[in-house]
Amino acid sequence: MGQVARFGGVGALLLAVCSLTASLPGIATFGGTVLGVTAVQAAEAEGPVIRKIDVEGNQRIERDTVVSYMAIQEGDAYSASKVDTSLKHLFDTGLFADVNIRRDGDMLVVSVVENPIINRVAYEGNSAIKEEDLNNEVQLKPRTIYTRAKVQADVTRIIELYRRGGRFAATVEPKVIRLPQNRVDLVFEINEGQKTKIAAINFLGNKNFSDGDLREVVSTSESAWWKFFSSSDSYDPDRLTYDRELLRRFYLSKGYADFRVVSAVADLSRDDASFHITFTVEEGDVYNFGKVDIKTNLEKLNKDELLELVQTKSGETYNANLIDKTVDALTFAAGSKGYAFAEVRPRVHRDRKGHVVDISYNIAEGPRVYVERIDIVGNQRTLDRVIRRQMKLAEGDAFNKVLLDKSEKNIRGLQYFAKVDVKQQPGSAPDKTVINVAVQEQSTGSLSLSFGFSSLDNVVAGAGLSERNFLGRGLQVGTNVSLAKRQQLIEFHYTDPYFLDRDLVGGVDIFGSETNYQSEASFDSRTQGAGLRFGFPLSDNSRLLTRYQLRFESLFNVTSTSPLIQAAAGSQTRSIIGYDYYLDQRNDPVIPTGGWDFLLSQDFAGVGGSVSYLSSQVLVHNYYKLAEDYTLTLRADVGYIQGIGQNVKLNDRFFKGGQDFRGFKSAGMGPRDLTTDDAIGANGYAFGTAEVSFPNGLPEALGISTSLFTDFGIVGGASIDSGLAGSDVYKTNYAPRVSAGLSVNWKSPFGPVRLDFGQPFVKEDYDKTEIFRFSAGTQF
């Protein structure tokens, strides 16, 4: 009592306030003190019980659906915190533009304003990005709920798409068109703007390589007038990250083991028209390989044999690429010896003072891992099963690096994809792995046009249409049509590389042609027929293809006075069985830089028909990598035809030149009638080619490759019926020929273009030369 008296009126005032607040809902007092959470909970327990929840303003959404999202239900005591939570839950659904909850006695009234439904999403002003691609990126679709947050997110995403395409000035304005029944049309008005080009690419800190050298390394390029088909001269932040990695790989391949990219900065000009990119680098010093050793306790592996596979040689300049290649080679060697789970770990010791890198390759048997799943991504058109049937591994198999490499090689060999990336990723458990196959599809259809020009003003033209991946099923369909003065041709080819869903090849050929050989041999030829093909594998690297053809051929319109050609006039029927044996040991099926391949073809005519012969041809390629970007290709091409019980017919012989032997006109080399200057074909030939591809200094974006070649060999032999003419009239001896020149290939936006400039150095006086040859085509 003493304390109350001492405070006097103040104590009485506090008691009055506590009494007043106790009568208010949601506030409780205890001993004259206002309480927090405990007091609120006590008030809630004493609040009125909600007997009914009424929903107003809903059109599409049922009353029970609205109530189901609420934290307070009928029969619960009124709680301000539960009402607040209910409001948050209802807004979080995205179904409502506005929500209001009020209490009317023992009834709770929920007023809602529903978000509209999207009727249609449209785009205006877009040309650089297709509407289909935009639809795949935005989250708002027809018949989904419209919200401002989703619209803003879609606007941001569209702008990001344009920025990735180099259009940093692009703007997007969303427009909403109100429709009856609370529906809206959403229109994105797009101003794409011009592409933001790369005005300059500069490098700081580079001392041993010039800015020009490094610009050839990065994938981003400076803008130029002739790059109207290229996208590498527009800014892309992802490409800039990739360029950092390209610079790192380049310097590490040149011995700079301490190299690093300090920064890569893209500065936008004030007018937003172009970027200036600056790479800041630290080169460091050049290192050499020091001690190189292999350590393994696997019994079947011979250390001396493995050392021969090591590409990192002591004393040579350090090259990180050689370490990766050595790891792959050692892993492959261990896998071929039965160690499917072998792991090769290079241990690198860097001596910074002596600038030497010591490497020890440790080979050990790794833990057993099984394939959990094979994921295939990037194939928009090609069916999954077309890719999966090239895999040497399946779900549940024990993982094998050798088989994984073969699988990637098989997929690349299809030539359906511009890029193939097969990677191993961790699975759901330590003993499981996921194989990810990422592909980027390319054009598999082609429209080819050919044109030849010779020193004798001879013009050769043709056209062909083919599809190597018909309907995305891996079917090969081709037709050639030529309506040129020289040739009228139509042919159809169909091949199923997985006949009857097995690793078998089945095919059908139908053909008909009429060819003008007046400029070469003074006659015309007509051929009609059909054939069947069937093939199967003999091993992982070899196949056998068998075939049968029935051909009806006629030689007519003979204008030559040559007795040999006049005697060949008439029609014959050829019933031919044959086969192709192919063995592939190349390191890459598309752009080989090592290994070899071998093709043996034989045809036997005489199973019925009026013509009998045996024709044999062998084609071998060897590939050698001389240096970076320098590849030597050696080719051997040999053929011979032997008549059976009769001389070889004129139109069964080999007419060589043109694409077969550059520098000479088609059918411009080999046996000839000297009195009429007509080619009479050869019974045999043996050709060789040495060709070196080399960098030409042109920007890689142009897609122009060059090579120097020399073609050499002999051709001759022609069986002539006795009594037609003396040997002095027909030149049939096996005489040597040699030519050399330059070949230019251009991957143009319209298709592949090839230019051959060939100069014969060894030839016969009667040969017909062709200095320049041109061929072009397009793809779809």
Side-chain angles (χ1 to χ4, degrees), residues 284-298:
D285 298 316
V286 176
Y287 283 70
N288 292 328
F289 286 116
K291 298 178 181 179
V292 179
D293 191 20
I294 293 178
K295 296 180 180 179
T296 181
N297 55 4
L298 301 180

Side-chain angles (χ1 to χ4, degrees), residues 473-540:
R473 300 175 179 271
L475 303 175
Q476 300 169 13
V477 179
T479 179
N480 287 320
V481 178
S482 176
L483 300 177
K485 179 179 179 181
R486 171 182 169 79
Q487 185 182 55
Q488 295 79 49
L489 173 147
I490 182 169
E491 57 182 0
F492 173 79
H493 306 283
Y494 171 84
T495 303
D496 185 349
Y498 262 73
F499 185 56
L500 301 177
D501 287 329
R502 298 177 180 270
D503 193 8
L504 304 172
V505 175
V508 177
D509 305 301
I510 302 173
F511 47 87
S513 67
E514 186 170 313
T515 307
N516 182 336
Y517 288 108
Q518 295 294 334
S519 62
E520 293 95 343
S522 302
F523 67 85
D524 293 339
S525 174
R526 182 182 297 115
T527 301
Q528 298 172 332
L532 299 174
R533 288 173 283 118
F534 180 75
F536 50 90
L538 299 177
S539 67
D540 287 342

